[in-house]
Amino acid sequence: MHCKRMGLAAALVGTTTCLGAAPAKQSGNLTVHEWGTFLTMSGSDGVTLDGMYHEEHALPSFVHARSKDQLRLHSASLKGETPVIYFYTDRPLDVDVKVSFPGGLWTQWYPRASFVGPGLTQTGSPPQLRNGHIAWNVCISPPGKTREPRLASTASDALWNYAREVDSAFVSLRADPPNAGPIETDRFIFYRGLGRADLPLKLSGTNGGTIKCNYSGLLQGPLRHLFVIRVENGRGAYRYFPSISSGSAEIGVIPSMQESQPIDGFTRKVGEELASHLVESGLYPKEARAMVHTWTNSYFKTDGVRVLYVLPQPWTDSFIPMEIKPKPANLVRVMVGRAELLTPEREREVERSIKDLSSADPAARQSAFQGLRAQGRYIEPVLRRLSQFSQDPIVKRLSKQLLLTDFVNELRTSLLSAADGSRMSHKPFDVRAQLASTLREAGLSIEARAEGETVLAELHGMSEPKMDRHESRFYLRSAARAMEGIGDGNGAVEAYGRLIDFGSRALKCGNSFCHQAEGPRDASFFRDWWAGRKYAESARQTGQTEKLIQAKTQALNSNKNDRGAQLMLAYLYEASGHTGEAAQLWARIDPNARGNRESTARIGSR
């Protein structure tokens, strides 16, 4: 299938024409289906928490996104996750799609958008979470009518693949301008966002768990298909409510673990029941299965208490208005609201963990850090709440300090695989090294030194893996963090440099054994790599920045293809404000990013 860009902007933001496509006005056979999740977290008192911008797993490298600084929006209280739009038609068709987000911004999308607003190039302050909008001009081609296009490659176990297991039409976009990159095709349109808007349901930990509907005049009729889910220690339990009326409340909704069953059987049972109700709400069976499979680990296997419920389409149409031209004969939008609950018990456990970080007992510190790591992407909302409302001054102070650490500010939790969202295992010394680094950043220098020295002693007794082995990642990463933990700035610069040199080999070996699922999938990974930030910061703290810039420049003069030197120099330039020089280096490191920059150059300019 091929598409042509025709003329000036029309309708929404332009017109894309498929060869052989039906005229836009002939839309009687077009059906559009959409599914997705809106996620919030509530304190035990039902107050919605900020800091909900973290990812559970990485998106495929071909997905377009705002800059990492615009993805770290600490004021976000709502995360729109993986809405996908499917199209069904019996003949090729030109379609224009626009989705607005009055209470937020769209942050990631695929294929390339024709327009995203507000613009991506805002400087001086984080973008405001309001008035978001995104548009695509696409060619829709039903399967079997033309030669099926090749879709962007993903890992065999990538969660993205589930959304493709449907019978929908292919969605294609021709690059505009022509040199912006290849045609991008999939079985759907994907997008994701952050906001500060309220969902129509509140969840609190009072009275054994209370759910209350708050329609704010947007809905008529009840909320339907509510699942209150509780997962602990490899077991799960749930309660199902067919509906709850506007303005009403249900109390005592959190199921007892006496009703629980092993996680695998629980997951099958609740997953099948949720899928059946998604079909009842309007999705096709394959679409419902795709949604459930995509979110199985997050919905059903992650410890915690949460409620899932189907958002009525009138609410969705008001919350994120969608325009489609030509107008489809049938439009179904099935969004699942998801509210995570910070129970009083969980809040007290996190408070104990925070306080124990300053314990003189190493075992207590390690147990405390494991407790914090177990919070996954919810660690920031929890810390933000405790930094304001904890009655313990030590917890309050340490919460504020932890909010500034790399451990908290990483976009993606380190607990889950970037590929399939499954829980990853980490070597004990690797976790302990992260603890040492985090303690140093949080101002607990004595405890950080103790942890770092222990890690370095353990590493000294090991044989260092060769640089072409995946295991080298853990050794080098732990050594760098431990050096930081003991306060050896010069040692940290050297160790982080070696880690970057190791990582740069991914630019040559790609998805080979030396990096596996945890490591970089492409060059874009390195733009916001935490190790690069640590390297540049350690260089600044030790006064080595200019010296290292000269050394890495000389290395590149000797070997222009020295990827490690390119990366280190790019990090040093960015940290020291030499943005132009850094941009030139990133263009050499990641030439494929050029098309993305050109295709988004118009974003926010209209």
Side-chain angles (χ1 to χ4, degrees):
M1 180 176 61
H2 301 286
C3 309
K4 294 180 180 179
R5 173 67 62 183
M6 305 293 292
L8 298 175
L12 293 174
V13 289
T15 303
T16 302
T17 302
C18 305
L19 293 184
K25 63 181 182 180
Q26 297 183 17
S27 59
N29 71 327
L30 176 63
T31 291
V32 178
H33 282 195
E34 179 184 40
W35 59 254
T37 298
F38 281 104
L39 168 66
T40 62
M41 187 176 199
S42 300
S44 57
D45 55 0
V47 174
T48 302
L49 306 183
D50 291 342
M52 289 299 299
Y53 62 89
H54 297 270
E55 308 281 358
E56 277 193 320
H57 56 84
L59 292 170
S61 60
F62 51 77
V63 173
H64 304 279
R66 291 178 177 268
S67 69
K68 295 297 176 68
D69 286 341
Q70 294 196 19
L71 297 179
R72 286 192 184 88
L73 299 177
H74 301 281
S75 61
S77 60
L78 175 141
K79 189 171 180 61
E81 298 194 297
T82 323
V84 295
I85 307 171
Y86 296 115
F87 301 86
Y88 298 87
T89 177
D90 60 7
R91 59 184 179 274
L93 194 65
D94 304 334
V95 178
D96 295 339
V97 180
K98 179 181 178 181
V99 187
S100 300
F101 194 175
L105 296 175
W106 300 122
T107 55
Q108 292 122 316
W109 56 89
Y110 187 82
R112 271 188 302 275
S114 304
F115 181 80
V116 180
L120 306 188
T121 58
Q122 298 181 25
T123 58
S125 65
Q128 298 299 308
L129 288 167
R130 61 174 181 261
N131 300 327
H133 43 281
I134 188 167
W136 295 268
N137 309 121
V138 293
C139 307
I140 306 303
S141 178
K145 298 293 184 179
T146 61
R147 182 179 178 181
E148 291 194 358
R150 178 178 296 179
L151 307 185
S153 62
T154 58
S156 60
D157 53 359
L159 293 177
W160 186 272
N161 297 338
Y162 288 123
R164 290 174 168 174
E165 296 174 354
V166 294
D167 299 322
S168 64
F170 293 100
V171 183
S172 295
L173 178 81
R174 175 167 291 281
D176 181 19
N179 62 351
I183 295 174
E184 296 181 342
T185 301
D186 220 303
R187 302 303 292 259
F188 49 83
I189 287 175
F190 161 88
Y191 60 109
R192 179 176 283 183
L194 297 170
R196 283 200 59 80
D198 290 329
L199 293 179
L201 180 142
K202 296 292 184 183
L203 174 65
S204 74
T206 58
N207 299 315
T210 299
I211 50 179
K212 183 177 181 179
C213 291
N214 179 19
Y215 289 178
S216 302
L218 294 178
L219 298 177
Q220 295 180 354
L223 288 178
R224 298 186 182 278
H225 307 307
L226 293 88
F227 291 79
V228 183
I229 294 171
R230 183 178 180 181
V231 180
E232 293 178 10
N233 303 317
R235 299 183 66 85
Y238 75 97
R239 294 187 63 192
Y240 171 69
F241 297 84
S243 65
I244 179 171
S245 300
S246 175
S248 65
E250 292 280 350
I251 63 174
V253 299
I254 299 176
S256 167
M257 291 308 290
Q258 293 181 348
E259 308 168 18
S260 68
Q261 57 183 303
I263 199 68
D264 289 340
F266 163 77
T267 297
R268 284 192 298 271
K269 181 180 179 182
V270 68
E272 290 172 359
E273 185 170 350
L274 175 58
S276 69
H277 291 307
L278 293 174
V279 172
E280 182 181 334
S281 300
L283 294 183
Y284 295 141
K286 286 187 177 181
E287 295 171 338
R289 287 195 296 271
M291 184 177 190
V292 170
H293 289 158
T294 297
W295 291 110
T296 287
N297 282 300
S298 184
Y299 282 173
F300 310 132
K301 294 186 177 182
T302 301
D303 281 9
V305 175
R306 62 192 58 93
V307 59
L308 309 174
Y309 55 100
V310 176
L311 289 159
Q313 184 162 331
W315 182 91
T316 301
D317 290 338
S318 175
F319 192 66
I320 51 169
M322 177 184 288
E323 301 175 38
I324 302 177
K325 296 184 179 180
K327 185 177 180 179
N330 187 30
L331 172 62
V332 174
R333 308 181 75 189
V334 179
M335 293 291 172
V336 169
R338 172 182 170 188
E340 292 283 327
L341 176 63
L342 176 60
T343 62
E345 297 79 12
R346 182 175 177 182
E347 189 168 336
R348 288 193 293 269
E349 289 174 1
V350 175
E351 281 195 288
R352 284 194 295 270
S353 294
I354 294 171
K355 196 166 184 177
D356 283 349
L357 285 178
S358 59
S359 171
D361 181 3
R365 291 197 298 265
Q366 293 171 56
S367 177
F369 191 54
Q370 291 286 19
L372 295 179
R373 292 182 77 248
Q375 303 306 313
R377 63 166 162 171
Y378 305 112
I379 183 61
E380 181 163 342
V382 176
L383 288 174
R384 288 187 174 278
R385 178 175 175 83
L386 293 176
S387 71
Q388 299 178 54
F389 300 113
S390 176
Q391 299 301 308
D392 189 320
I394 296 177
V395 171
K396 205 165 187 176
R397 173 177 58 84
L398 286 177
S399 294
K400 292 178 181 179
Q401 292 172 317
L402 286 167
L403 284 168
L404 302 176
T405 65
D406 185 72
F407 164 63
V408 172
N409 284 309
E410 273 294 287
L411 282 171
R412 184 173 63 85
T413 172
S414 62
L415 292 178
L416 303 177
S417 166
D420 62 4
S422 61
R423 183 169 291 272
M424 298 191 312
S425 60
H426 289 266
K427 300 181 184 298
F429 69 80
D430 195 36
V431 175
R432 195 164 195 171
Q434 186 182 27
L435 170 59
S437 173
T438 301
L439 291 172
R440 173 66 61 174
E441 287 186 275
L444 299 173
S445 302
I446 295 174
E447 296 82 358
R449 174 175 286 277
E451 296 294 342
E453 288 176 343
T454 300
V455 171
L456 291 174
E458 184 171 353
L459 294 179
H460 184 72
M462 298 169 54
S463 296
E464 181 177 343
K466 295 181 179 180
M467 289 285 277
D468 62 351
R469 302 301 304 171
H470 173 67
E471 293 78 10
S472 189
R473 160 187 308 279
F474 304 105
Y475 187 99
L476 295 171
R477 182 168 63 193
S478 298
R481 283 171 164 164
M483 283 292 183
E484 185 182 2
I486 68 173
D488 184 348
N490 292 326
V493 171
E494 180 181 357
Y496 278 118
R498 294 187 66 211
L499 177 59
I500 292 169
D501 186 48
F502 165 79
S504 72
R505 295 167 186 246
L507 297 170
K508 299 178 182 178
C509 70
N511 295 348
S512 73
F513 69 92
C514 67
H515 293 280
Q516 299 181 0
E518 186 186 354
R521 295 302 181 100
D522 60 18
S524 63
F525 167 93
F526 294 99
R527 293 297 295 265
D528 194 59
W529 191 18
W530 64 269
R533 298 196 305 271
K534 291 282 193 177
Y535 170 74
E537 177 62 18
S538 298
R540 185 193 64 79
Q541 291 175 348
T542 56
Q544 297 186 63
T545 300
E546 291 305 319
K547 175 184 174 182
L548 288 169
I549 287 177
Q550 293 177 10
K552 301 309 172 186
T553 299
Q554 291 177 0
L556 285 180
N557 288 337
S558 300
N559 178 9
K560 64 179 181 180
N561 295 318
D562 186 336
R563 295 297 196 186
Q566 287 177 345
L567 286 171
M568 284 181 262
L569 191 55
Y571 296 132
L572 293 167
Y573 275 144
E574 285 190 336
S576 57
H578 296 87
T579 55
E581 292 88 341
Q584 292 178 18
L585 277 168
W586 286 121
R588 292 168 61 184
I589 294 167
D590 189 11
N592 292 330
R594 179 172 178 266
N596 292 344
R597 289 197 303 274
E598 290 183 354
S599 68
T600 58
R602 303 185 311 282
I603 293 173
S605 64
R606 294 173 185 254

